[in-house]
Amino acid sequence: MVAHAEAHLDHHEEHPPVPHYSSRISPSILGMYLFIGSEIMLFGAFFTAYFFVRVVNGTPWPTPPFHLPVYLAFINTCILVTSSFTMHWALTSVKRNNPFGLRAGLLLTFLMGLTFLITQVAEYLRIGFNTGDGAFPTIFFCLTGLHGCHVFVGLTILLFMTIRAFRGHFDAAHHHGVEIGGIYWHFVDLMWILVFLTVYIL
Amino acid sequence: MLGLGTLMGGIAAAVALLFPWLPKPASDEAGRIDFVFWFAVVICIVIFAIVSAALIYAVINFRARPDDDSDGPPTHGHTKLEVVWTVIPTMLVISIGIVSAIVLGQNDATGKDFMRVNVTAQQFAWSFQYPDGKNMTSGTLRVPVGRSILLTFTSKDVIHSFWVPEWGQKQDTVPGIHPTLHITPNKVGRFPVICTELCGLGHATMRTWAIVMPRAAFDKWLKGTSAAQTSTNTAVSGAAIFKSQPCGSCHTLQAAGTTGKVGPDLDKLPSYAQQAKQPLDSFVSDSITDPNAYTQPGYPKNVMPPFNLPKPQLDALVQYLIQSSKKG
Amino acid sequence: MTAVTADHHVPTAPSQHGPFRRYVFGAGWIRAAWMFCLFGGIGFGLTVLARWGGGWHPILYTQPIVLLSLLVAAPIGFLAGLGTFDYWTYYALGHPTRAEDHSGHGARSWRDYFRVNTDHKVIGVQYLVTTVIFFLIGGMLAMLVRAELARPGTQFFDTQTYNGLFSVHASLMIFLFVIPAFAGLANFAVPLMLGAADMAFPRLNALSFWLLPIAGVMMVSSFFIPDGAFACGWTGYAPLCSSHQPLGAVFFNQGVQWAGASSIMTALNFLVTIITMRAPGMTFWRMPLLVWANFTTSLLVVIATPFIAGSQFFSMFDHVMHTAFFDPGNGGYALGYQHIFWFYSHPAVYIMMLPGFGIMSEVIAVFSRKPIFGYRLMALSLMAIVVLGFSVWAHHMFVSGMATWLRVPMMVTTLLIAIPTGIKIFSWLATIWNGKLHFNTPFLFALGFLSMFVIGGLSGVMLGAVPIDIHVSDTYFIVAHIHYVLFGGSVFTIFAGMYYWFPKMTGRMYSETLGKLHFWLTFVAFNCTFFPMHLIGVEGMPRRVADYAPRFAAWNMFISLSSFALGASVLVFLYNMITSWRHGEIAPSNPWRAMTLEWQVSSPPPTFNFTEIPQVVGGPYEYGVPGAVHAILTPSHATEVPAEVGV
Ligand code: HEA
Ligand code: HEA
Ligand code: CUA
Ligand SMILES: [Cu+2]
């Protein structure tokens, strides 16, 4: 302890060495990709549960008397997919130093994501079954719920990005914040398409 | 090096031979499992002998003298050697795999002539049902010697696991599915049935007996007991019910010749009822249908499962217990 | 997440608040305490509100309330109070990016170890001290287990408490000792070895650490709630754990989530650090094997850990929300739990071994004064174990009642894992061969590891053979295997690593005599404790029982006595570590005459490790190669004349 403390006495005069980057990819973007890899595995675990209940156990889908509002979910899907495009617009705008496109794109994305989430919650409230009603409701709620949580996290990130965009913190040279949040948002969208297909359509 | 290897191998082999490792096999399957076991052990002993001999040799011969600051020779690798220690282990593990696969196939093959027993596991008791004996049930597993037995498992609550060490074979009982297990007992005797999957607080005590009988004796038992049990519709025999349920695996009852130690001694029921300040018959009947209503001091709660027997059977059992305990 | 990229640099204004406000509202333990309560209260309120709004009765239902307020919200409050989120909150609210003033970096007094510190060296030490504490608690529980098992019958604990003892014992050992202790050692060593100033995401690194005490306290505290600790084994099989257990089970489910989150974040951090922050010249084929080991381990963690998160979520939902994942009466599939759990937990055993392999490569090369034999094959075999490791999970389920056709393929892949592992063992032997062996404590533990892990691995191969496994599954043979690979494997390597880097971490030398005493006591007591377990296992003693047949009494008594000796040997280690840290001889910068980069800077290293990033020019283990250098450092680092390697 004592020795350790002494060695650090003159700490404030020190500065970190200039870092050396041994890869062309930016650390934060690589980190985000790896994190998404981990997220995909988390969804994988939930899809495995889905597989066991639906394929191995052969649970009827949806189990009568329940049914799923496929039409509503389809509209919701369209909203979420569109939001991916507005997100992309925001990113290309900031790369071209176009603050209007950035702000409008982020705001639109955020609003569409919010619409999606609210619709989802409304769907839960009216769907007519609850988590304890058997294996089909269990899997339905867990897959859409897990995705819902990701939308929530995505929206939080989007909110932060929007605030920063309106304060003018991003420009063509500094847009990592937008890029990373955007990658996450695209991932959330893609995952929804998978969830939608497996839970509602198949 | 060679000497050291032999020495280490010798020590390991002595450990393997001097202790009684596996229980004496009492089924054809256990015999085959023993063979795989020793087959693998021999390979493992050889490998362990080589590794430890090399290690000890190096430790003795290559220690640096205290003042020696020099480095060893800068060898970076040796392709041939590396190929050798990749290929030989590959061959060894493949041989273990082949032997295992063959034995697995043999152990699972029931042939055409086999007897079925349905096994039901619940927290914390076993019961065995005989389709060949008009579906009569028993708390101990009785099987004829030399006959293929196919056990089919059902679990009422959580996962349990059926194991008779002398038979080698083991199978989890999983709620919702019905796995099977094949056994050909080849020794007459009495072997413990052990639950080996953690199933809650009574896991350690979830035991009963497997009794392997000569064929004729078994047939006689099967006929006699199933007749007694099916006749319960007319005249219910408390003794038969006590035997058909797993009571004996946990309770001592002289009249039935059981010696279980998990639960209280049922020969002392009258004094227990006095302790509980309850009338004897309702005390006994409540203790069977709802064991947690009153827990005998010194015995664990939540171990005895509730038994929901049909009313006539329950009454007969209660009467039987009261009578036998008064005698005892 | 955007920790590294600073978009703007505006210096922060010094805080203008008075000392009292800083005391209560500044990041630290006081704020952690009240934010813990505040968040707990908010969690409580929201849960009750939701139950009331949703019309679920009873509104004051203990399980979801405890889960959401005590196990989820309150810990987040604690983390926020300590200040792990400060920077990100600041960023998120749209303030200009704070310039890094390095105030969270380095340790100037012991107090700096008790706050959120972003220096990887401090975090490494924090990890190690914390994990050793959990090792002691877990070990104490093992002592209680052995006390109960010394004689047949139940003496000290009722069966439910006993089940809790070994469940918490194993969970602490695995999730709070072995896995994070490796993360701690790597945290300290990897950035130094790479020639980097710190990890890629220092703030994330700090957060990962602070998740751990939460997980540990959660698991231990489950003993103190009504109805007792979780008692379903560290594997937490459904439906026992998911619907037939008291509230304690949820403490396990949620504790694992915190520990798992910590693991994943650390692994992301390692991967990014290793990919993007290697010093110039440090190609992948010049990385020390410890770095390789942590690279491969991190891959395992990132891919596999989400599965245990999933399995614990499902189990917890079944418990608290009465969902039907594993409830066959309601359409669920009970075996699903085991598939999902083991898809993580088999790779997890390699998460608990590969970093140890890395430590072994460092220690063995240095103390044999020879290059690692077959360096590339060593790295490739790590990769092979990672790939194979994902294809063997069902070897824990040979008797589970899963599809029978799955058994033979899983047996084959399981047996194949022996080959890359064997390559490593034989290469280490070849490294030692003809070397100049210096028997310092780390090397003794390395040799102990070599012999003990081989025994554990060979018993693993026997388990891999289905017919054998059918007989010995869930018996003490498994308990013996577990401890030979985990204690004789992982824990020996952790001890070796702690002794090896002790001078670098503390700037002082440990006592070599006590270290050797520790090794020999441990080695002998360890074998006496765990070897007989093979025997009673195959003879018929099942695991996880408080009571057993009288014929095993003699062996169990012997095992219990040896295990107390094993416990005592840990005291020697503790005494050595504590006294040497305070009064040990001052350590030279490179006491082992090692070539890797962490030994080329002072002991302990300067706050930013290097004044200038070094230039790597050769392999890390070129011992005996005339004139070989691993890296060139700027002159200010020039170290003293290499010190003697102690006897
Ligand atoms: C550090 C942790 C660790 C490690 C490294 C291992 C390594 C291995 N384990 Fe182990 N295992 C556990 C921790 C570990 N295990 C735990 C905790 C459990 C119990 C879980 C529970 O239920 O609670 C378990 C359980 C377990 C089972 C399930 C038993 C059961 O419950 O029924 C099986 C079955 O196949 C198994 C196999 C193996 C194999 C084949 C290896 C291989 O990787 C070993 C490879 C190494 C060698 C083989 C030695 C060196 C090689 C040579 C010298 C070359 C020559 C060798 C040959 C030719 C054979 N293990
Ligand atoms: C890294 C992992 C690890 C480690 C290091 C250990 C260490 C030990 N383990 Fe454990 N064990 C497991 C992992 C581990 N175990 C696992 C995974 C299981 C399976 C659980 C399950 O079935 O779910 C298990 C199960 C298990 C059982 C089987 C229980 C059963 O099935 O019924 C037993 C029984 O003997 C046991 C014993 C021991 C002993 C004696 C030690 C000793 O090595 C401990 C050494 C002692 C100490 C470290 C204490 C030292 C400290 C002091 C003496 C005092 C200081 C105290 C203070 C300052 C407060 N363990
Ligand atoms: Cu039933 Cu253990
Ligand atoms: Cu495994």
Side-chain angles (χ1 to χ4, degrees):
Chain A
M1 283 283 189
V2 181
H4 203 157
E6 279 161 8
H8 287 301
L9 272 182
D10 52 355
H11 155 274
H12 264 299
E13 281 77 70
E14 288 182 62
H15 287 285
V18 186
H20 173 259
Y21 286 105
S22 51
S23 167
R24 263 165 302 165
I25 189 164
S26 125
S28 31
I29 290 185
L30 177 64
M32 181 42 92
Y33 278 128
L34 289 167
F35 178 62
I36 286 177
S38 178
E39 291 274 54
I40 289 175
M41 292 310 285
L42 183 62
F43 274 94
F46 279 65
F47 277 114
T48 314
Y50 165 89
F51 169 82
F52 283 131
V53 165
R54 189 164 174 191
V55 181
V56 177
N57 267 4
T59 306
W61 206 268
T63 311
F66 310 133
H67 59 87
L68 292 169
V70 180
Y71 185 61
L72 180 74
F74 179 72
I75 295 179
N76 225 1
T77 312
C78 296
I79 295 177
L80 203 61
V81 170
T82 319
S83 78
S84 243
F85 288 101
T86 52
M87 182 70 233
H88 187 70
W89 178 43
L91 183 62
T92 35
S93 302
V94 73
K95 283 188 184 160
R96 292 197 196 119
N97 250 341
N98 168 4
F100 169 75
L102 170 68
R103 290 171 191 176
L106 285 178
L107 205 59
L108 276 176
T109 314
F110 180 79
L111 289 177
M112 282 193 259
L114 197 64
T115 316
F116 174 89
L117 202 61
I118 292 173
T119 316
Q120 183 84 55
V121 172
E123 184 185 326
Y124 277 8
L125 292 179
R126 286 151 194 233
I127 201 145
F129 49 80
N130 207 332
T131 47
D133 294 342
F136 160 71
T138 298
I139 300 294
F140 168 78
F141 278 114
C142 89
L143 267 175
T144 55
L146 177 74
H147 182 265
C149 290
H150 282 78
V151 176
F152 181 77
V153 172
L155 281 178
T156 318
I157 296 174
L158 269 173
L159 182 66
F160 298 157
M161 291 190 325
T162 318
I163 294 175
R164 291 189 79 81
F166 273 89
R167 295 202 171 188
H169 291 181
F170 299 120
D171 56 51
H174 303 282
H175 57 264
H176 260 123
V178 185
E179 203 168 342
I180 292 163
I183 295 174
Y184 190 76
W185 190 252
H186 292 314
F187 157 72
V188 171
D189 285 1
L190 278 177
M191 259 312 160
W192 174 253
I193 295 179
L194 215 61
V195 172
F196 176 68
L197 286 179
T198 45
V199 173
Y200 290 87
I201 302 292
L202 280 181
Chain B
M1 201 28 220
L2 213 63
L4 264 174
T6 334
L7 180 71
M8 292 310 294
I11 295 176
V15 172
L17 294 176
L18 288 182
F19 293 103
W21 277 86
L22 293 154
K24 277 218 166 58
S27 76
D28 294 356
E29 289 72 26
R32 295 189 203 110
I33 290 177
D34 278 18
F35 171 72
V36 191
F37 184 84
W38 289 115
F39 183 83
V41 165
V42 169
I43 292 179
C44 290
I45 287 182
V46 170
I47 291 169
F48 177 71
I50 294 173
V51 171
S52 52
L55 206 58
I56 294 171
Y57 185 86
V59 166
I60 295 171
N61 288 283
F62 305 130
R63 47 173 65 238
R65 260 169 292 119
D67 52 346
D68 185 0
D69 270 355
S70 64
D71 289 347
T75 21
H76 282 91
H78 187 285
T79 313
K80 260 192 207 145
L81 209 55
E82 287 168 50
V83 171
V84 167
W85 66 51
T86 311
V87 172
I88 292 183
T90 311
M91 289 179 349
L92 290 176
V93 292
I94 287 179
S95 68
I96 296 181
I98 291 175
V99 171
S100 302
I102 293 174
V103 165
L104 191 63
Q106 288 174 338
N107 276 0
D108 282 355
T110 45
K112 281 219 181 68
D113 172 46
F114 59 86
M115 185 181 105
R116 280 183 184 279
V117 179
N118 297 330
V119 185
T120 304
Q122 61 177 316
Q123 284 177 327
F124 302 95
W126 297 100
S127 74
F128 305 91
Q129 188 200 29
Y130 292 82
D132 292 359
K134 300 186 195 148
N135 281 338
M136 71 91 156
T137 56
S138 162
T140 49
L141 173 60
R142 283 170 193 262
V143 288
V145 72
R147 175 106 191 262
S148 263
I149 317 280
L150 191 70
L151 304 172
T152 307
F153 296 95
T154 306
S155 172
K156 286 197 184 162
D157 34 47
V158 300
I159 301 178
H160 304 271
S161 191
F162 174 94
W163 186 42
V164 175
E166 285 79 1
W167 286 350
Q169 296 276 70
K170 179 184 287 121
Q171 178 59 53
D172 284 8
T173 71
V174 185
I177 58 174
H178 302 282
T180 58
L181 187 67
H182 172 234
I183 289 155
T184 320
N186 58 16
K187 275 208 184 65
V188 173
R190 188 156 159 271
F191 309 103
V193 174
I194 301 174
C195 173
T196 56
E197 185 63 65
L198 181 62
C199 50
L201 76 178
H203 164 62
T205 54
M206 186 167 161
R207 305 277 170 97
T208 186
W209 294 99
I211 299 167
V212 184
M213 310 162 88
R215 282 201 179 200
F218 174 79
D219 290 341
K220 203 168 141 224
W221 171 81
L222 192 64
K223 259 216 197 90
T225 329
S226 61
Q229 257 191 37
T230 31
S231 67
T232 47
N233 301 332
T234 44
V236 196
S237 147
I241 297 167
F242 188 85
K243 279 200 190 126
S244 72
Q245 298 293 338
C247 319
S249 57
C250 296
H251 290 288
T252 301
L253 186 69
Q254 268 182 12
T258 63
T259 54
K261 293 262 170 355
V262 174
D265 182 349
L266 294 185
D267 290 319
K268 303 200 179 106
L269 274 178
S271 64
Y272 294 147
Q274 261 173 12
Q275 268 180 346
K277 301 199 179 65
Q278 286 175 28
L280 184 56
D281 52 349
S282 72
F283 169 72
V284 174
S285 119
D286 286 354
S287 291
I288 297 170
T289 49
D290 182 13
N292 279 344
Y294 169 79
T295 310
Q296 183 67 23
Y299 289 91
K301 223 179 157 68
N302 285 327
V303 166
M304 175 166 160
F307 289 87
N308 296 314
L309 303 167
K311 184 88 171 84
Q313 296 200 13
L314 180 64
D315 290 342
L317 181 60
V318 171
Q319 285 316 312
Y320 170 70
L321 285 177
I322 291 177
Q323 250 128 54
S324 354
S325 63
K326 276 189 179 142
K327 258 180 265 163
Chain C
M1 174 194 338
T2 28
V4 166
T5 42
D7 296 323
H8 286 269
H9 284 283
V10 181
T12 36
S15 159
Q16 286 126 17
H17 306 308
F20 176 73
R21 282 197 63 177
R22 230 182 331 170
Y23 194 62
V24 178
F25 295 105
W29 285 88
I30 305 228
R31 194 175 82 181
W34 65 258
M35 282 188 82
F36 179 86
C37 302
L38 178 71
F39 272 62
I42 295 176
F44 176 83
L46 285 181
T47 321
V48 172
L49 210 65
R51 290 190 74 80
W52 175 71
W56 287 301
H57 284 280
I59 288 173
L60 286 175
Y61 183 39
T62 336
Q63 300 209 347
I65 291 179
V66 168
L67 172 65
L68 290 170
S69 69
L70 201 61
L71 303 186
V72 177
I76 295 178
F78 169 78
L79 291 172
L82 266 186
T84 47
F85 301 129
D86 276 14
Y87 178 89
W88 294 314
T89 319
Y90 198 76
Y91 177 91
L93 293 180
H95 296 287
T97 311
R98 245 194 267 185
E100 175 60 272
D101 62 352
H102 303 293
S103 58
H105 219 94
R108 267 141 281 151
S109 86
W110 60 270
R111 282 194 195 81
D112 286 344
Y113 286 94
F114 290 89
R115 62 183 182 82
V116 178
N117 203 309
T118 52
D119 184 343
H120 75 97
K121 298 182 290 299
V122 176
I123 294 177
V125 175
Q126 286 176 324
Y127 260 108
L128 287 173
V129 173
T130 313
T131 53
V132 166
I133 291 172
F134 284 115
F135 172 59
L136 292 179
I137 303 176
M140 279 308 295
L141 296 173
M143 298 294 105
L144 298 181
V145 165
R146 281 321 317 176
E148 172 61 52
L149 290 179
R151 281 190 292 128
T154 48
Q155 288 91 31
F156 303 111
F157 307 103
D158 62 62
T159 46
Q160 181 77 3
T161 314
Y162 175 85
N163 293 353
L165 286 179
F166 69 75
S167 304
V168 181
H169 157 68
S171 309
L172 288 183
M173 287 297 191
I174 287 177
F175 297 115
L176 285 143
F177 174 51
V178 174
I179 296 179
F182 279 136
L185 284 168
N187 234 305
F188 185 88
V190 165
L192 279 161
M193 283 182 159
L194 288 174
D198 206 322
M199 299 276 270
F201 310 117
R203 281 177 285 262
L204 189 69
N205 203 12
L207 175 61
S208 317
F209 165 72
W210 284 101
L211 291 176
L212 270 189
I214 295 176
V217 169
M218 211 168 273
M219 289 184 181
V220 177
S221 63
S222 72
F223 272 113
F224 303 106
I225 57 164
D227 290 335
F230 63 97
C232 33
W234 80 279
T235 49
Y237 275 11
L240 177 67
C241 203
S242 64
S243 47
H244 291 75
Q245 283 283 307
L247 186 58
V250 181
F251 280 62
F252 172 71
N253 296 148
Q254 189 55 34
V256 169
Q257 305 289 18
W258 291 109
S262 158
S263 252
I264 295 182
M265 288 182 205
T266 314
L268 290 175
N269 221 335
F270 278 136
L271 285 175
V272 175
T273 308
I274 294 169
I275 294 174
T276 66
M277 295 181 69
R278 281 167 287 128
M282 175 79 82
T283 61
F284 266 78
W285 291 123
R286 278 181 185 162
M287 292 195 313
L289 284 167
L290 180 82
V291 178
W292 264 108
N294 279 286
F295 184 72
T296 45
T297 309
S298 301
L299 283 176
L300 275 176
V301 172
V302 166
I303 301 173
T305 313
F307 265 70
I308 196 176
S311 72
Q312 298 312 314
F313 276 133
F314 304 152
S315 175
M316 190 161 76
F317 293 159
D318 272 8
H319 202 279
V320 175
M321 294 172 16
H322 307 295
T323 51
F325 287 101
F326 308 124
D327 174 7
N330 222 347
Y333 184 64
L335 277 183
Y337 178 85
Q338 291 178 40
H339 281 292
I340 300 174
F341 178 83
W342 288 117
F343 190 78
Y344 163 75
S345 288
H346 181 81
V349 309
Y350 297 112
I351 293 170
M352 293 185 273
M353 202 57 259
L354 299 190
F357 288 169
I359 296 172
M360 284 304 98
S361 297
E362 302 301 321
V363 169
I364 288 177
V366 169
F367 291 98
S368 312
R369 314 295 320 152
K370 271 186 68 203
I372 279 287
F373 193 92
Y375 168 87
R376 287 195 179 206
L377 208 53
M378 288 297 250
L380 289 175
S381 57
L382 287 169
M383 288 306 276
I385 293 175
V386 168
V387 174
L388 276 174
F390 280 110
S391 63
V392 303
W393 76 91
H395 69 207
H396 296 272
M397 301 172 63
F398 285 151
V399 297
S400 70
M402 64 169 184
T404 42
W405 60 265
L406 221 81
R407 292 185 300 184
V408 171
M410 286 289 171
M411 165 171 78
V412 172
T413 48
T414 301
L415 293 176
L416 287 181
I417 285 205
I419 297 159
T421 321
I423 291 176
K424 300 195 77 73
I425 301 278
F426 295 127
S427 302
W428 283 319
L429 284 176
T431 308
I432 293 169
W433 202 258
N434 256 330
K436 294 271 195 287
L437 312 187
H438 297 266
F439 292 94
N440 298 74
T441 313
F443 192 55
L444 285 181
F445 274 102
L447 296 178
F449 158 84
L450 269 184
S451 48
M452 295 302 101
F453 180 74
V454 167
I455 297 183
L458 292 174
S459 67
V461 166
M462 296 182 62
L463 294 175
V466 185
I468 305 180
D469 184 68
I470 287 178
H471 178 61
V472 299
S473 183
D474 275 319
T475 66
Y476 263 73
F477 195 84
I478 309 290
V479 180
H481 167 70
I482 295 178
H483 291 93
Y484 265 87
V485 283
L486 275 170
F487 198 111
S490 315
V491 179
F492 273 34
T493 62
I494 291 174
F495 280 142
M498 289 213 242
Y499 282 111
Y500 181 64
W501 282 294
F502 185 85
K504 188 53 65 181
M505 289 178 179
T506 62
R508 294 185 181 265
M509 297 303 288
Y510 59 86
S511 153
E512 199 65 70
T513 330
L514 285 177
K516 284 181 177 155
L517 178 69
H518 172 215
F519 170 75
W520 284 111
L521 275 178
T522 306
F523 187 78
V524 174
F526 164 78
N527 277 295
C528 292
T529 307
F530 296 114
F531 197 81
M533 289 185 180
H534 291 111
L535 182 69
I536 55 178
V538 294
E539 274 194 342
M541 178 159 163
R543 66 192 275 207
R544 296 171 167 175
V545 291
D547 182 8
Y548 51 87
R551 66 194 170 108
F552 303 117
W555 274 122
N556 270 298
M557 178 54 93
F558 176 75
I559 291 171
S560 287
L561 292 177
S562 316
S563 78
F564 300 144
L566 186 58
S569 78
V570 176
L571 296 179
V572 179
F573 165 75
L574 278 185
Y575 178 79
N576 192 359
M577 289 293 120
I578 293 171
T579 53
S580 305
W581 199 345
R582 304 187 61 187
H583 312 295
E585 239 177 88
I586 299 293
S589 64
N590 193 357
W592 317 126
R593 297 183 296 131
M595 293 184 85
T596 45
L597 273 166
E598 80 271 31
W599 298 104
Q600 315 312 320
V601 295
S602 63
S603 296
T607 313
F608 298 109
N609 298 352
F610 306 96
T611 40
E612 241 170 71
I613 297 296
Q615 173 75 39
V616 176
V617 293
Y621 305 112
E622 304 294 307
Y623 301 104
V625 182
V629 226
H630 175 46
I632 301 167
L633 282 84
T634 40
S636 65
H637 287 305
T639 52
E640 320 91 282
V641 187
E644 294 287 301
V645 173
V647 185

